[in-house]
Amino acid sequence: MRGLGIGAALAVAVAAVATARADGELTVRGAYYKERATRVEQPMLDGRFDVGEAGSLDAHLLVDSISSASVVAFDEKRVEAGAGYAHVVGDYTVGGSARYSSEPDYKSAFGTLRAQAEAFDKNLTLGLTLGAGHDDVSNAGAGDMGRITGTLSSYLVAASVAQLLDENTVASLVYDLSYLDGYQQNPYRRVVVAGGLMPERHPTTRARHAAAAMLRRYLPRTSTTVVGAYRLYRDDWGILAHTPEARVIQDVGDTVTFGLSYRYHRQRAADFWRATYTAADAYVSDDPKLARLTTHDLAAKLVVTGATLGLEGRWEALRGEAMIEYYVQSAAFGNAIIAHAALTIPFEY
Amino acid sequence: MRAVSRCRLVVVLAITLLSGCAMVRPHERQNLARRSMTADRDPGEARFTQHKTGAREGADGGTGEPGGGCGCN
C-alpha cells in the first residue's frame, strides 16, 4: 500500500516535470592564480535550475588547490559547496543561501536571507540581505608548534537600490555593513616585537562599511556596454580604501563578446600597523593586507557562443569564455597572473 | 540636529533624482536585458575575484555578498 502511494506520487511528479519544462545551465570553470610564492588552481562547477514557474535554485562546488613557498611552505586543498534559492511572488523576490567551506585548518559556514522588491513598473529595485556565519580556525598545519584554535562569528547587512535611468542606462548602489567578532589573526604568522618573535595579535572585533556605486550604459550605435564603478570602504581598524573600476564590453556580431577592464585599489594602513613593534603595542601584525597599499588589475575576456561554431538549436546558446588578468600589487606578495576558462551548457528538463 | 538635516537633505536629493528619471516601459528594455547589462560576470568569476581581492587587500565588501570563508588570511 505504501509502495503504491510512493509510486503514485512519483508518477505525479514525473508527469508534472514532463509537462512543465524548465531551463537551467551548468558552468564548468577553471581558474588559475600565480604570484611569486603562491599558486592556486580552482576547478568549480556552478548550476542554475528553474524550479516551477517562480523559483530558481543555484548551487556551486569548488576545490581550491593552494601551494605556497612563503615563510611557512604549505600545500593544501579547500573544498567549498553552496546553494541558494529565490522565489518570485509578484513584485517581490525572497530567498536564501548557504555556504560551507572546509580546509585542514579552517572551517566556515555562512547563511543569508534575501528580499527584493520592484516598484514603479520594475524601474526601481530595492534589495536587503541579512547574513551570519561561523568559522573555526586552527594552526593544524604547523607540525610541532603549540596548538592554537579560535572561532570567528560574522554578520552581514547589505542594502541595494537599482534604478533604470533610460532605455540604455541603469544605476545601482550597494551598502554593506559586516561585523566580525573573534579570532582574526593568522595563527601561523609571527611578528618581530622588541627583537623577539611573537604570535600575531589583532583586535577581536571589526566593523566594516563598504558603499559601491555602479553605472552601466549600452551604446546601441557601436554595440558597446560601458560600466563605471566606485567603492568606498572604511572600517574601525582605520583602513580607508578607494576602489574605482571601469569595464568596456564590446559585442562583435551577435555571437562574440570582447571585454576589457581596469580596477584600481588604494588603501590607508590600519591604525595599529607599524614597521617595527615594541612590547608596549597592544596589537602586532605582519599582515601585508593591513599596510598602506595599492593594486592595479587589468583583465581581458573573450566570450563566444555555440552559434559562432555553427551549432544549432539549444546548443546555439552554449557559451565558452577565456580570460586573462594581470594583478599588480605594491605589497610583498608580488604581481600575479590569473587565467580563467569556462564553458556554460544550457539545458531543458 | 545637524545629522537630521543632513539625512533630510539626502532623502530630498534622492527623491528629486528618482523623480527626474524617465519611466522605462517593458517594451523599451531590450538593451537593458542584454547579458552585458545584467551580469557580465558569471557567479564563478565574481566569486573567485572577490576571493582574490579579499585575500590580498584590506578592504572587502560592496557586493552584497559575504566575503571571507577561508584561511587565506
Side-chain angles (χ1 to χ4, degrees):
Chain A
M1 193 66 191
R2 193 176 163 200
L4 273 177
I6 292 170
L10 276 174
V12 169
V14 169
V17 168
T19 52
R21 298 188 71 80
D23 291 326
E25 60 179 33
L26 204 60
T27 302
V28 184
R29 175 180 293 270
Y32 177 80
Y33 178 98
K34 174 80 176 81
E35 65 187 18
R36 191 162 48 227
T38 304
R39 191 179 68 219
V40 179
E41 289 156 5
Q42 189 182 103
M44 58 189 116
L45 194 61
D46 276 85
R48 186 192 57 75
F49 313 89
D50 287 347
V51 180
E53 291 295 308
S56 175
L57 178 73
D58 64 80
H60 75 269
L61 178 68
L62 65 85
V63 178
D64 246 346
S65 178
I66 309 158
S67 308
S68 180
S70 57
V71 182
V72 183
F74 65 89
D75 197 346
E76 69 176 24
K77 284 190 171 49
R78 180 177 76 91
V79 179
E80 179 184 306
Y85 178 74
H87 198 86
V88 179
V89 185
D91 287 333
Y92 302 94
T93 304
V94 289
S97 67
R99 178 190 77 189
Y100 182 73
S101 169
S102 174
E103 55 197 300
D105 51 9
Y106 207 98
K107 317 279 178 215
S108 172
F110 202 95
T112 65
L113 290 173
R114 298 167 196 271
Q116 188 175 293
E118 289 174 317
F120 305 119
D121 201 14
K122 298 186 190 294
N123 276 244
L124 176 70
T125 305
L126 301 169
L128 180 69
T129 301
L130 301 175
H134 177 85
D135 296 3
D136 289 310
V137 193
S138 79
N139 63 342
D144 55 357
M145 275 172 70
R147 185 60 68 237
I148 296 172
T149 58
T151 60
L152 175 67
S153 298
S154 49
Y155 308 93
L156 169 74
V157 180
S160 66
V161 54
Q163 169 73 41
L164 305 185
L165 300 182
D166 61 36
E167 62 267 33
N168 293 309
T169 315
V170 59
S172 60
L173 191 64
V174 180
Y175 168 71
D176 286 359
L177 167 62
S178 58
Y179 183 75
L180 310 176
D181 186 1
Y183 193 89
Q184 298 187 58
Q185 50 270 30
N186 184 317
Y188 301 102
R189 218 179 263 136
R190 294 288 179 269
V191 187
V192 177
V193 180
L197 279 177
M198 295 278 290
E200 195 171 60
R201 195 167 60 241
H202 288 169
T204 54
T205 63
R206 189 178 190 184
R208 317 179 82 176
H209 305 264
M214 182 180 280
L215 190 73
R216 284 177 189 265
R217 182 164 177 79
Y218 181 71
L219 310 172
R221 214 156 60 92
T222 55
S223 302
T224 309
T225 302
V226 289
V227 183
Y230 168 74
R231 182 188 70 185
L232 175 66
Y233 170 94
R234 181 164 196 136
D235 66 28
D236 61 358
W237 286 10
I239 293 181
L240 173 69
H242 302 278
T243 313
E245 182 176 358
R247 302 208 284 274
V248 178
I249 303 140
Q250 180 63 52
D251 293 343
V252 184
D254 290 331
T255 59
V256 178
T257 303
F258 180 70
L260 276 177
S261 70
Y262 172 71
R263 177 183 180 275
Y264 172 73
H265 173 80
R266 191 185 75 188
Q267 72 178 53
R268 197 167 76 182
D271 291 335
F272 56 85
W273 173 265
R274 306 272 184 277
T276 54
Y277 291 92
T278 66
D281 287 315
Y283 305 114
V284 297
S285 178
D286 194 31
D287 186 351
K289 292 199 299 293
L290 301 183
R292 178 190 172 100
L293 66 86
T294 58
T295 67
H296 303 264
D297 196 337
L298 188 64
K301 184 161 82 169
L302 179 70
V303 181
V304 296
T305 60
T308 317
L309 308 171
L311 300 176
E312 293 177 348
R314 66 192 171 97
W315 297 111
E316 274 183 45
L318 189 99
R319 207 169 59 243
E321 182 186 315
M323 190 172 111
I324 186 88
E325 191 176 339
Y326 193 64
Y327 188 53
V328 179
Q329 308 181 75
S330 67
F333 296 120
N335 301 341
I337 288 181
I338 301 124
H340 289 242
L343 184 68
T344 299
I345 305 157
F347 59 88
E348 284 182 357
Y349 58 98
Chain B
M1 195 64 191
R2 212 168 161 188
V4 173
S5 303
R6 229 181 261 171
C7 193
R8 273 188 195 150
L9 181 68
V10 169
V11 171
V12 168
L13 270 175
I15 291 171
T16 309
L17 286 172
L18 290 178
S19 63
C21 297
M23 197 76 153
V24 183
R25 305 286 168 202
H27 66 273
E28 298 172 322
R29 292 180 194 165
Q30 64 210 38
N31 289 339
L32 294 167
R34 303 179 79 89
R35 189 177 151 72
S36 59
M37 289 294 287
T38 52
D40 61 304
R41 286 177 169 165
D42 277 347
E45 182 193 335
R47 191 173 52 237
F48 187 86
T49 300
Q50 186 175 3
H51 192 81
K52 174 200 78 183
T53 53
R56 288 293 176 259
E57 297 170 2
D60 199 7
T63 60
E65 298 295 329
C70 77
C72 42
N73 183 21

